[in-house]
Amino acid sequence: MTSSAHVLSLPAPAKNQTYVTISALDAGWLTLPEHLFITNAALEKRTTVPSLAFLIQHHSPSNNLPTSSTNLVFDLGLKRDFTKYRTAQQHHASQRQPTITSPDAAASLLAGGVDPKKDIDTVILSHVHWDHVGTPSDFPNSRFVVGSGTLHLLANGAGPLYPAELFNYDELPFDRTYELPPSSSSEVEKAAKQQTDHKWEALADFPAVVDFFGDGSVYIVDSPGHLIGHVNLLARISPTKWVYLGGDCCHDVRILTGECDVAMYDDGHGGLRSVHLDTDAAKGTISRIGGLLKRGQVVQEDGGEVDVEVVVAHDKGWSESNKERFLPGHL
């Protein structure tokens, strides 16, 4: 590492640092035409990929037990029952066949000894595209957490490329759903005047993260570009190991490594588009996450080098080579 290298600094562990345990969950598979997602792909190339979900177990001291666990699920993958999608969603899903919907997130949890009806405290959705929302009714006692603007998006869509018909306005239980406050500089002051559970702060190269448990174990990362309200998670699993769950920051890890770029294609309205709502913002997010992959350029504030494993939702290679890290196994 040269003196001119850009070094990312993550917080050092506290004296009594809490760590989390992360287990991958099978949550359905869908098929992607590669030319819509990465540059230089053959028009006929289609790949069936997972839509990964994750169980995050946060272990903290309790007055009554040696440890107590707060269980968080990140993303829910596909619905097992496609009739629960709206007509426009079903039409879109028909272009992503073949799909696999069993096991879904709830079934994967049950198979690993975790009851989604009783044991999951919080569900955080990276965003509300059809292949990430799963079946929220499987979690009748969980709080749902979504990124800023998500509830408006569900009701109103986001312009001609993302009309309201592509979303279920009542997808989430409104009485149990918490929407994070705005993170953009123009909105932070306004949000600060409102009563919120969390506040955004900068961390490493990320302008806006939320310390979800308040103990430096799990950070929600504002990850703009793919869709309104898109968020990622950065979690601490040991003194020298972090995991970054990237959702749909990109759909192929070769974009993160710089081997490919985000594909652009005809938007049907006389212009070009990508799979991201805001391609420039998405590329900024991709660049920041890509920095985590550069060994020797991520350290903790105490000077120790750390490893950050980045996992994106549709990484087929990761899924197939890490079967032992699915529940009941862990990362």
Side-chain angles (χ1 to χ4, degrees):
M1 183 171 62
T2 66
S3 59
S4 61
H6 178 61
V7 177
L8 301 180
S9 179
L10 296 174
K15 183 177 181 180
N16 297 309
Q17 181 64 53
T18 297
Y19 301 97
V20 297
T21 302
I22 302 178
S23 300
L25 301 172
D26 276 315
W29 293 66
L30 68 159
T31 302
L32 303 180
E34 287 197 358
H35 73 278
L36 297 182
F37 294 88
I38 59 172
T39 51
N40 304 318
L43 287 176
E44 68 278 5
K45 182 69 180 296
R46 294 170 62 84
T47 304
T48 301
V49 301
S51 189
L52 294 168
F54 297 88
L55 171 67
I56 296 136
Q57 296 177 290
H58 176 268
H59 309 285
S60 58
S62 167
N63 292 329
N64 301 317
L65 298 170
T67 61
S68 60
S69 178
T70 298
N71 294 327
L72 183 161
V73 170
F74 182 64
D75 271 346
L76 295 179
L78 280 66
K79 295 184 187 299
R80 61 181 172 275
D81 181 358
F82 269 36
T83 67
K84 301 301 183 182
Y85 288 118
R86 298 181 70 180
T87 300
Q89 291 174 311
Q90 292 184 41
H91 174 71
H92 180 77
S94 71
Q95 302 170 54
R96 299 291 181 259
Q97 298 298 325
T99 57
I100 300 170
T101 61
S102 181
D104 63 358
S108 293
L109 287 165
L110 283 170
V114 179
D115 187 343
K117 290 182 169 58
K118 298 187 299 183
D119 298 335
I120 302 302
D121 301 282
T122 302
V123 175
I124 298 178
L125 296 180
S126 65
H127 63 298
V128 290
H129 274 150
W130 70 281
D131 55 325
H132 292 262
V133 295
T135 307
S137 59
D138 288 338
F139 302 83
N141 295 300
S142 305
R143 180 174 74 148
F144 284 75
V145 177
V146 294
S148 180
T150 296
L151 297 181
H152 184 272
L153 171 71
L154 287 174
N156 301 281
L161 299 181
Y162 291 95
E165 291 76 16
L166 286 177
F167 305 94
N168 278 330
Y169 74 93
D170 58 353
E171 188 78 72
L172 302 175
F174 296 119
D175 60 330
R176 290 183 284 116
T177 297
Y178 169 68
E179 182 177 281
L180 291 163
S183 62
S184 64
S185 57
S186 61
E187 296 288 341
V188 166
E189 184 176 349
K190 183 189 302 183
K193 298 177 181 178
Q194 304 171 0
Q195 185 174 358
T196 63
D197 293 346
H198 300 96
K199 65 177 182 178
W200 298 100
E201 56 190 0
L203 179 72
D205 271 358
F206 301 101
V209 306
V210 163
D211 186 350
F212 187 68
F213 291 108
D215 59 9
S217 62
V218 175
Y219 295 91
I220 299 178
V221 183
D222 185 44
S223 308
H226 182 60
L227 189 69
I228 291 169
H230 186 251
V231 295
N232 294 168
L233 286 191
L234 176 64
R236 192 195 301 260
I237 64 172
S238 82
T240 59
K241 178 71 181 288
W242 296 72
V243 172
Y244 189 96
L245 302 178
D248 274 5
C249 67
C250 65
H251 294 71
D252 191 303
V253 292
R254 289 174 293 180
I255 295 175
L256 286 177
T257 60
E259 299 170 69
C260 300
D261 201 353
V262 175
M264 303 296 294
Y265 56 94
D266 186 353
D267 67 0
H269 299 274
L272 292 176
R273 63 164 296 183
S274 74
V275 295
H276 303 292
L277 180 63
D278 184 333
T279 304
D280 288 340
K283 287 187 174 184
T285 293
I286 290 166
S287 177
R288 288 188 288 273
I289 298 169
L292 298 174
L293 299 175
K294 298 174 182 177
R295 177 164 290 279
Q297 292 185 208
V298 183
V299 300
Q300 290 183 149
E301 291 169 348
D302 58 3
E305 185 175 318
V306 294
D307 178 45
V308 183
E309 182 174 10
V310 178
V311 188
V312 296
H314 301 302
D315 191 342
K316 179 181 181 180
W318 189 95
S319 178
E320 292 181 338
S321 62
N322 287 278
K323 291 302 184 184
E324 77 284 356
R325 302 168 88 187
F326 283 70
L327 190 69
H330 56 82
L331 277 67

